[in-house]
Amino acid sequence: MTRPRVTLSFAQTLDGRVAAADGSSQWISEPESLRFCHRLRAAHDAIMVGIGTVLRDDPRLTVRLVEGRDPLRVIVDSTLRTPPTAAVIRDGAARGTVLACTAAAPSERRTVLRELGATILTLPATPEGKVDLVALLASLAERGIASIMVEGGACLITGLLRARLVDAVTITIAPLILGAGPAAVGDLGIMTLAQAIKLGNARWTTYGVDVVLEGEVLWTAT
């Protein structure tokens, strides 16, 4: 199956937290690594997040800190909870936004978001009622999307890793310790170190006080 190249990109603390216990996450990374992140956005055809990220952070998902084009915005939102006032919808942004939902999304929400200019993709659902990520990537490939940067949240990142749909990671590590708070990746069903997902061609780059790890995901045959 042809699908876009998928890169996971997120910022975390030294102890693996992507936000504090109160949910605050702006800004874990420093301006230098944020500019790197925006260069990465500009280098991809699409940027994808889950509905939880939209509701919690209201991100614009645009390229602002460097020169470059805005990627297509893809929101994985099984029941179309994205509000019309969200930054990815308001002020004309909807015309560059795709909302991936399932048949469970209410028709009135489809109508409102379509009228604002958003593209609605109705896709098969998993047994848990979530958007089928394999079907989503296939649909985006049909639309000419060759590369996707995924910025969160944990549910989407975990689902992509569980389905082996990730090709690379770019992780910004900030010199902070929180002790509590959400992590970027949830349970992958890994029980031993031997089952750990490994990275190839790993490289470390410093941006101010932050360190960015980039690498290719090495999937085993089993």
Side-chain angles (χ1 to χ4, degrees):
M1 179 198 71
T2 300
R3 66 166 177 81
R5 175 179 170 83
V6 174
T7 298
L8 303 183
S9 178
F10 55 87
Q12 66 173 43
T13 62
L14 288 173
D15 54 342
R17 309 299 178 181
V18 294
D22 66 356
S24 58
S25 60
Q26 296 178 336
W27 298 98
I28 285 178
S29 50
E30 291 291 317
E32 293 90 341
S33 56
L34 279 172
R35 282 193 289 272
F36 166 77
C37 175
H38 279 237
R39 285 198 299 273
L40 200 62
R41 285 182 178 181
H44 285 78
D45 294 332
I47 182 168
M48 185 161 69
V49 298
I51 180 57
T53 297
V54 171
L55 296 177
R56 182 183 64 250
D57 299 335
D58 194 23
R60 283 180 278 177
L61 304 180
T62 56
V63 175
R64 302 182 303 280
L65 303 181
V66 298
E67 292 290 330
R69 62 180 177 82
D70 290 336
L72 179 72
R73 292 176 290 274
V74 180
I75 313 301
V76 184
D77 182 4
S78 58
T79 57
L80 286 184
R81 291 187 291 151
T82 301
T85 55
V88 294
I89 298 296
R90 67 176 183 263
D91 301 325
R95 288 187 291 274
T97 300
V98 170
L99 298 168
C101 67
T102 69
S107 59
E108 62 271 18
R109 293 184 187 173
R110 296 173 193 267
T111 299
V112 168
L113 292 165
R114 277 201 187 100
E115 288 178 348
L116 289 170
T119 299
I120 309 297
L121 286 184
T122 303
L123 298 160
T126 66
E128 297 77 28
K130 300 180 184 299
V131 171
D132 185 309
L133 296 175
V134 173
L136 170 57
L137 293 182
S139 179
L140 292 173
E142 290 174 357
R143 291 170 176 266
I145 299 300
S147 61
I148 300 176
M149 178 179 173
V150 178
E151 290 196 4
C155 182
L156 178 57
I157 288 174
T158 302
L160 288 165
L161 285 169
R162 274 187 167 271
R164 297 191 170 202
L165 296 172
V166 177
D167 301 290
V169 300
T170 300
I171 303 171
T172 300
I173 303 170
L176 302 171
I177 297 174
L178 286 173
V185 184
D187 181 17
L188 296 175
I190 293 173
M191 302 302 294
T192 70
L193 280 175
Q195 297 173 311
I197 298 171
K198 298 178 176 61
L199 300 182
N201 300 319
R203 54 200 181 277
W204 299 85
T205 309
T206 57
Y207 292 91
V209 298
D210 297 337
V211 178
V212 174
L213 168 64
E214 299 173 83
E216 302 289 319
V217 178
L218 303 177
W219 295 112
T220 60
T222 57

